[in-house]
Amino acid sequence: MDLSALNEQQRAAVRHTEGPLLLLAGAGSGKTRVITSRIAFLLQDRGVPSQAILAVTFTNKAAREMRERVEGIVGRKQAKGMVISTFHALCVRILKEDIEQLGYKKNFSIYGGADQLRLIRDLLQEVNTGLRKFDADRVLWLISDAKNRLIPPDRFAPTHGDEYGPVVATIYPRYQRALKAFNAVDFDDLIMLTVRLLQDKPAVLEKYRQRFRYLMVDEYQDTNAAQYRLLRLLAEGHRNLCVVGDDDQSIYGWRGADLGNILDFEKDFPGTMVIRLEQNYRSTGNILTAANAVIRNNLKRKIKALWTADGPGDKIDYLLCEDDEDEARVVVERIMAERFKARLSYRDFAILFRTNVQSRAFEEQLRYQDVPYVLIGGQQFFDRKEVKDVLAYFRVLLNPRDEVNLLRILNTPKRGIGDTSADRLIRFSAEHDIPLWQVLKNPAEVEGLGDKVMESIATFVDLMQNFRRRFRVGQLSDTGRELLQELRFEDDLLRTAQDPDKARRRMANVAEVINAMASYEQREVQPTLEGFLDKVSLLDRDEPPRQDKDAKLQRDAVVLMSLHSSKGLEFPCVFLVGMEDELLPHKKSKGANSNIEEERRLCYVGITRAQKKLTLLGAARRKKFGVMQLRSPSCFLEEIPDEVLHSAASDAPTATTEEEKDQLANNAFADIKAMLDF
């Protein structure tokens, strides 16, 4: 295989195929190219069977692109059989084969966020006899955090001083029992149960160790305790584990990512070869100098420094604006001027911010100037109510024991089975320990149900049984469309919506579910309803769906997004806004449990998104709850060398009252301003 297009470090990484390898890949250093070249090298030059190769990443998009690149090098025939997937897709694959050894059936349901919350709320209502109402989201988050740390219900211990701890200790075991009774798992269970399966069943573990003899993991700095344990179980023995990541871009600690996984890799796997990819192919020299200068202040990191063979490029602009509205005005004016001067497209510009609430002023100013823009983020397609209602029908058709979704569709669209009747059905089911679906098949045994209600229940049961048979023999998309027509789903949306435009958007979303099902049918050799629902459940929860995010990024429009969402992307011109203390670094990073290093990594990620031109902005005053408050420039600005930074003020205000002077003195604004030659 010809490796002449790779640099020396990249070639070394490709050729090191036996034993543990830690590939420290800096921003813009071509890591995806190295990973795909390494897989191709294993196939072509080392003669490794494709079935022995496992590559794991965090998003469906990354896995898809990786597979396409490998196929482009070696061809589809030679690549066939290798597994390139997300962690959760890999675990679904393993559980579908062997979950029966844990007491589940193979046709288990995968609960998403809304299904989980509904179950948690029901459990909270059962156990809460006091006046205090607990937040179901908080309870679910704590359960999820426990699962990501591989803490089962019987070992969960409340944190001292956390008022939610005792509640979670009560709800968590009930939640797990309910899931198992419904033959369902949640997203976190996919990994936790797989780890349990591999730990408790040596024969299963040995089977997968023998199958996957070459492991590669992308974005290793983002792995949590459960993912780490899964990888270690699979890799122990042959130890052919290559992990690729950048500790300087570890920005997901708030959702369980453990920076120690990458920092301690050499301790966990003695004899590790460490290769640093430091040559950057994205940014100019001045941008990299600023990024290196900021990140070197972190103590918990592997030593490395990005460099480029290209020139220094433009200096980095820093603008101190009058307030948040002025900040937005300056950014939009600069976009319009730079677009004209450099003949750039709107999509060449990105506005990056620490918190989503910052987008409002920029959206208003962009609209005022008639500049097209896209806001990355917001509610995902498969989380929308009408979409979840349709999917709930499909899930119950596949698994009638899925009572959360069964209750969701029982009176959707409305068929005369109100809350009172539903409550009687649920109580009868619980008191007699009979699955709710069986109760619905014999509603006459439930006291207090009227004739019309029982007739509606019978019609509903007949419809579900009829379509369960039809889905087994017919085309999925055609059968799905027929189900919606029989339910008069779109008529119900029109009838119940107060806004006709909103009703039409919701109708389009329902239609898009069938489109997604049709696309799935075209891609798969043997499409099944179960397979379609598995694909839907595995859509990345923490990134906008492909049809949303990717389509938006292709439009000729300015991109607005949070720093967390920007990771992995690049733009010719970047505006990193809100460079102020309490925004970047965020106020939550201060105090006893300070996490200033993760905030610095966020700043580093923002800086390294820029290819040619980087502009940093902050406001001297900013509204908070409608009141204008003075702000202090970000402490990270102090860490950028003077020789790469060009500073200017945008008609910034000066303190005129004694009160304002005191505030400026207290937050050290004047000292930082003088240091930056404002």
Side-chain angles (χ1 to χ4, degrees), residues 130 154 179 287 295 358 414 438 469 654:
D154 59 346
L179 284 175
I287 292 171
I295 201 63
Q358 292 172 255
K414 292 189 182 300
Q438 295 300 323
R469 290 190 293 268
T654 58

Side-chain angles (χ1 to χ4, degrees), residues 319-352:
L319 297 174
L320 176 66
C321 301
E322 182 178 350
D323 54 31
D324 42 354
E325 303 295 336
D326 183 46
E327 181 185 44
R329 177 186 60 79
V330 169
V331 168
V332 175
E333 288 179 353
R334 286 208 159 207
I335 288 173
M336 295 169 70
E338 189 69 22
R339 178 174 175 269
F340 177 78
K341 182 176 74 173
R343 297 185 178 181
L344 297 173
S345 300
Y346 283 120
R347 65 170 171 263
D348 293 328
F349 298 90
I351 304 171
L352 308 182

Side-chain angles (χ1 to χ4, degrees), residues 545-561:
R546 183 187 181 201
Q547 65 268 31
D548 182 14
K549 182 176 181 178
D550 287 0
K552 284 182 175 181
L553 290 173
Q554 292 303 314
R555 288 171 53 186
D556 187 20
V558 175
V559 177
L560 280 72
M561 64 198 317

Side-chain angles (χ1 to χ4, degrees), residues 374-390:
V374 292
L375 177 64
I376 302 298
Q379 191 178 33
Q380 297 188 16
F381 177 78
F382 286 101
D383 280 339
R384 293 166 185 165
K385 180 186 181 303
E386 61 275 12
V387 173
K388 294 190 74 66
D389 288 342
V390 175

Side-chain angles (χ1 to χ4, degrees), residues 575-593:
F575 295 87
L576 181 47
V577 302
M579 289 293 293
E580 306 153 26
D581 281 338
E582 295 195 356
L583 272 181
L584 187 64
H586 196 273
K587 60 183 178 182
K588 290 183 179 179
S589 68
K590 299 181 178 180
N593 297 318

